[in-house]
Amino acid sequence: MNRRTYLLLGALSVVSAGPFSIATAQRAAARTAATPPRLDHRELAADQQVIHALNRVAFGARPGDVQKVRAMGLDKWIDQQLHPESIDDSSLEQFLSHYSILHENQNELLQEYAVAQRDRRMAKRAAGDTTQGISRDDSMAFRSIAIKRRGVAGQLQSARVARAVMSNRQLDEVMTDFWLNHFNVYAQKGAPEVYYLAEYERDVIRPHALGKFRDLLGAVARSPAMLFYLDNARSMADSTRPRLASYDRNQRLGGADAVTRVARGNARGRRPNGALGTPGRGIGGGIFGGRPAQGGQMDPDRAQQVQQRINKQRNGGLNENYGRELLELHTLGVDGGYTQQDVINVARALTGWTIKPPATGGGFVFRPEMHDAGEKIVLGHKLKAGRGMEDGEDVLDIVSRHPSTAKYVATKLVRHFVSDNPPQALVDQAAAVFLETDGDIREVMRTILTSNEFFSQEAYRSKVKSPFEVVVSAMRAMNAEPDSTPRTAQVVAYLGQPIFGHQAPNGYPDTGDAWMNAGAILNRINFGMAAAGNRIPGARVNSIPGLDTLAAASRTRQVDAVVSLMLGGSVSPDTRGVLMSGENPLLASAGSTPLPAAAEPTSDAMADMSMQAGGRPVKGKTGDKAAKLLGNPRTNPLAAGNGAVPQLNGIAQVVGLALGSPEFQRH
């Protein structure tokens, strides 16, 4: 097989905003009755069906999984995976107890960090110098808190990989990964985001991954992670718009003048009830926190600075970021039939959906004094004036039940689970189920996973794995123990997909052409050899049942065993030739030069490096300097000795080449 052959691996009407009416249900029933049942005709052979399902419904097979699924019955296994609550996962829960920081209260950790950061700024300001004036003990204390913050990031990323490797609830993990990408949030948006992400995955995405889409959408809309990431926490009614009154037991702050009164109160060093800040947190509070001055007073210069900041916040006005992405990326899709005016009115409806100051621990809160109380029209639905949080709730009802949302979500799910070119018939069927079941994700997935298209020859091994899928499936194939360190998550970043590291709200791509190029293929082969060379924590070739006794066997027996146990029992003649010869044409052409890195090096901790964007060469480094970086475990998680590619032989070499083969890189 030549180099070119191996490079070809990568050539690859609006529904009611409220509950469904009787008429809607009758129309759905009529559609169902008018559509004849589709005949069950699965093109794949029985064993191929099992292998295919384990590669799509799960993150690949562990040794023995094919036999277990075959004994249970494939359809019964799929049904079991659709009900993850029925599957025992106690061993995973025990392992996750190792993640000490993630079991701490994230709001308290955020508060600790925010208060320490604020005190540090105040100490510097009091000293009149930006670089001195902090005691050694205070500096060490803040450094300790900052390190703990990086620990949250590292453990959050590590736990994602560990869950995917170890969990028996594999479809639940695949769906969690899908929705975290669909509702993407970037970990480096700002200092608080890491703390918000822990709650986001645990309490927002995971519990709703196979539930009702409306419940999932609502949880995302109220999550501090999303509100902070897409700036809705800052969004408030424009100065020309009426604002919702803020009430307490003694007074009413009314209309558009409410925030003006609040700001004046803040500038005098006091907090009127119902104001933007919080009692005791004092001057300069609002959304972004603040610090009380001594005796409730502040110097005139500081008071002027605070007043300017409050005015800037107060006059900041409407932010359309979340409203736009809610329509374009989360629900209807870019061609979903909405207008720019719909974007504006959705953003207006969601004003006041914000976050408590970090110094008080964060958390969702609705601020009526920020909310645009005027009349709005969203996708033809009129939202009356004078309402509050129900404006946003009604918007979520409207978009979650819109036919365009059904089509958009169905298309993304079919693309992810079936083909980069989603079969239109299956998309239509899945969208119909979405509408008829009020967005029941479990039933939509049942439709997809039991379809003829899912079990077609065209779908088999047609999807290129993402870097996350490559690493997790390799660890599962090697019967690896999950890794509680950040190292395996770093490997995912090295291959181009840092966890929680995609900056844009559209998430990582879900088609093969986005992941496959010459450099990416080299890095994946590099990873396969490193995994077989025992450089991935928890992964050892001698842990693979059936291979541990083949060290002295003939090359043919070794290759046959690896093909059977790790590659589904069949490979192309080219791949078999590579396994038999022990020479990959790309590695041979690369010679002794270390392979190009996919993640930029950074001087920060390893957890921070794993969030760097992948797919780029080492920035600003060429020749010998780049080679040194690539051979350094701090900047290349696969490196050891003088280069990234270990020299292997025997069964370990066969396993490494198999993990880099086209058959393993596709699923």
Side-chain angles (χ1 to χ4, degrees):
M1 179 181 62
N2 57 32
R3 174 185 173 92
R4 183 175 180 277
T5 301
Y6 227 80
L7 285 174
L8 288 177
L9 170 66
L12 305 171
S13 77
V14 179
V15 179
S16 169
F20 279 161
S21 64
I22 295 177
T24 303
Q26 289 173 340
R27 286 194 298 271
R31 280 198 307 272
T32 303
T35 304
R38 305 178 73 195
L39 298 178
D40 185 6
H41 177 65
R42 300 180 179 181
E43 293 178 351
L44 296 179
D47 281 353
Q48 284 184 322
Q49 290 180 35
V50 172
I51 293 167
H52 181 64
L54 283 166
N55 279 327
R56 298 288 180 89
V57 181
F59 284 112
R62 277 188 172 276
D65 279 355
V66 171
Q67 292 78 7
K68 291 177 183 177
V69 173
R70 187 189 296 134
M72 176 185 289
L74 177 56
D75 288 341
K76 185 176 180 180
W77 178 79
I78 290 175
D79 183 69
Q80 183 187 61
Q81 289 294 320
L82 285 165
H83 295 87
E85 68 282 356
S86 68
I87 303 173
D88 176 42
D89 227 2
S90 54
S91 57
L92 172 64
E93 295 305 319
Q94 184 177 357
F95 178 83
L96 292 176
S97 65
H98 299 159
Y99 294 93
S100 56
I101 292 179
L102 294 184
H103 292 287
E104 296 185 41
N105 186 304
Q106 298 297 308
N107 289 341
E108 292 178 1
L109 291 177
L110 172 59
Q111 184 176 13
E112 177 187 48
Y113 180 83
V115 170
Q117 198 175 42
R118 182 192 64 195
D119 290 346
R120 188 166 180 255
R121 288 196 302 266
M122 295 296 291
K124 286 182 177 180
R125 188 178 297 117
D129 193 295
T130 59
T131 59
Q132 298 178 357
I134 302 176
S135 70
R136 184 176 183 277
D137 289 344
D138 287 345
S139 180
M140 292 297 292
F142 180 78
R143 180 176 175 82
S144 176
I145 293 171
I147 290 173
K148 184 182 287 189
R149 175 183 170 272
R150 289 198 294 271
V152 173
Q155 290 195 17
L156 189 64
Q157 294 166 325
S158 173
R160 276 281 302 282
V161 179
R163 282 180 176 273
V165 170
M166 189 177 185
S167 178
N168 295 321
R169 302 170 178 177
Q170 279 289 290
L171 178 59
D172 202 33
E173 292 303 315
V174 172
M175 293 302 299
T176 296
D177 184 62
F178 175 86
W179 291 121
L180 282 170
N181 198 53
H182 180 84
F183 296 107
N184 180 63
V185 171
Y186 180 50
Q188 294 196 85
K189 163 72 174 183
E193 191 69 85
V194 167
Y195 301 103
Y196 296 147
L197 276 173
E199 177 191 39
Y200 186 62
E201 179 180 336
R202 182 190 65 233
D203 300 334
V204 174
I205 301 297
R206 287 189 175 278
H208 301 101
L210 283 165
K212 293 281 190 175
F213 183 76
R214 171 61 177 86
D215 295 338
L216 173 60
L217 191 67
V220 169
R222 285 186 289 274
S223 66
M226 186 60 72
L227 293 171
F228 182 77
Y229 172 55
L230 290 180
D231 301 315
N232 204 79
R234 298 171 179 265
S235 183
M236 60 184 71
D238 289 331
S239 58
T240 59
R241 298 282 185 181
R243 303 202 181 192
L244 192 65
S246 179
Y247 295 93
D248 64 29
R249 291 173 301 181
N250 302 316
Q251 66 179 11
R252 172 175 176 173
L253 298 176
D257 193 43
V259 175
T260 301
R261 293 186 228 176
V262 171
R264 289 171 181 168
N266 288 349
R268 289 195 292 268
R270 62 181 175 83
R271 291 283 180 191
N273 292 332
L276 287 172
T278 51
R281 290 295 167 188
I283 304 302
I287 305 170
F288 311 104
R291 181 173 178 82
Q294 290 289 339
Q297 303 296 321
M298 68 166 61
D299 64 87
D301 290 341
R302 178 64 179 147
Q304 183 179 5
Q305 292 174 5
V306 169
Q307 181 61 58
Q308 291 172 350
R309 182 182 179 189
I310 292 170
N311 290 341
K312 183 178 180 180
Q313 294 174 19
R314 173 165 55 88
N315 297 326
L318 191 68
N319 189 300
E320 298 176 13
N321 286 356
Y322 179 49
R324 182 177 306 281
E325 307 308 349
L326 175 65
L327 297 179
E328 179 177 330
L329 297 177
H330 297 173
T331 57
L332 278 69
V334 67
D335 299 321
Y338 62 89
T339 66
Q340 173 59 22
Q341 195 58 45
D342 287 320
V343 171
I344 293 171
N345 286 336
V346 166
R348 289 176 59 210
L350 290 167
T351 49
W353 291 50
T354 186
I355 310 169
K356 297 175 185 176
T360 66
F364 173 77
V365 64
F366 176 71
R367 302 271 190 208
E369 63 273 15
M370 297 170 65
H371 182 64
D372 185 329
E375 180 183 277
K376 310 163 189 75
I377 298 178
V378 175
L379 296 170
H381 292 254
K382 181 180 291 187
L383 308 180
K384 294 181 180 179
R387 305 194 316 162
M389 191 170 173
E390 58 266 41
D391 275 353
E393 295 289 354
D394 278 0
V395 165
L396 297 178
D397 284 342
I398 293 167
V399 298
S400 67
R401 296 178 173 122
H402 197 283
S404 292
T405 298
K407 178 183 177 182
Y408 180 66
V409 172
T411 300
K412 288 196 68 172
L413 287 169
V414 174
R415 179 182 295 117
H416 185 80
F417 285 92
V418 179
S419 172
D420 285 1
N421 298 305
Q424 191 59 51
L426 182 58
V427 169
D428 292 343
Q429 186 182 14
V433 172
F434 185 101
L435 290 173
E436 291 161 10
T437 62
D438 196 16
D440 191 320
I441 300 168
R442 190 192 325 271
E443 293 310 309
V444 174
M445 286 307 304
R446 188 189 306 278
T447 299
I448 294 171
L449 298 180
T450 59
S451 67
N452 295 333
E453 290 87 346
F454 180 76
F455 289 108
S456 67
Q457 288 287 352
E458 186 178 356
Y460 189 62
R461 284 181 176 168
S462 67
K463 293 280 294 181
V464 173
K465 293 178 182 177
S466 69
F468 184 83
E469 292 166 337
V470 167
V471 173
V472 171
S473 62
M475 294 187 72
R476 286 177 62 80
M478 294 183 70
N479 204 33
E481 294 295 325
D483 176 20
S484 60
T485 76
R487 189 168 177 81
T488 305
Q490 273 195 310
V491 175
V492 178
Y494 171 85
L495 294 179
Q497 192 183 12
I499 298 170
F500 294 118
H502 189 74
Q503 187 170 2
N506 60 343
Y508 287 110
D510 201 14
T511 56
D513 57 352
W515 296 115
M516 287 290 95
N517 55 61
I521 296 172
L522 282 169
N523 284 333
R524 288 173 180 232
I525 297 171
N526 182 18
F527 162 72
M529 301 303 287
N534 298 335
R535 293 187 186 171
I536 308 300
R540 297 290 182 270
V541 170
N542 58 12
S543 297
I544 306 173
L547 298 186
D548 49 350
T549 62
L550 295 177
S554 68
R555 186 72 172 198
T556 299
R557 282 191 60 199
Q558 291 177 342
V559 169
D560 288 343
V562 169
V563 169
S564 175
L565 293 172
M566 303 182 68
L567 299 178
S570 64
V571 293
S572 71
D574 285 337
T575 295
R576 179 171 288 276
V578 169
L579 300 181
M580 288 296 297
S581 69
E583 294 184 1
N584 186 295
L586 287 183
L587 291 184
S589 65
S592 60
T593 304
L595 300 184
E600 287 187 359
T602 167
S603 59
D604 270 339
M606 292 176 72
D608 281 344
M609 178 191 152
S610 65
M611 288 191 223
Q612 296 301 306
R616 299 187 300 246
V618 179
K619 187 175 181 180
K621 304 292 182 181
T622 58
D624 293 340
K625 290 184 178 180
K628 288 180 181 179
L629 287 169
L630 296 169
N632 184 346
R634 184 172 177 81
T635 52
N636 182 346
L638 303 180
N642 295 322
V645 183
Q647 300 299 312
L648 304 177
N649 52 48
I651 193 69
Q653 184 189 66
V654 178
V655 169
L657 292 170
L659 293 176
S661 70
E663 285 82 358
F664 191 84
Q665 295 297 316
R666 292 179 176 273
H667 66 146

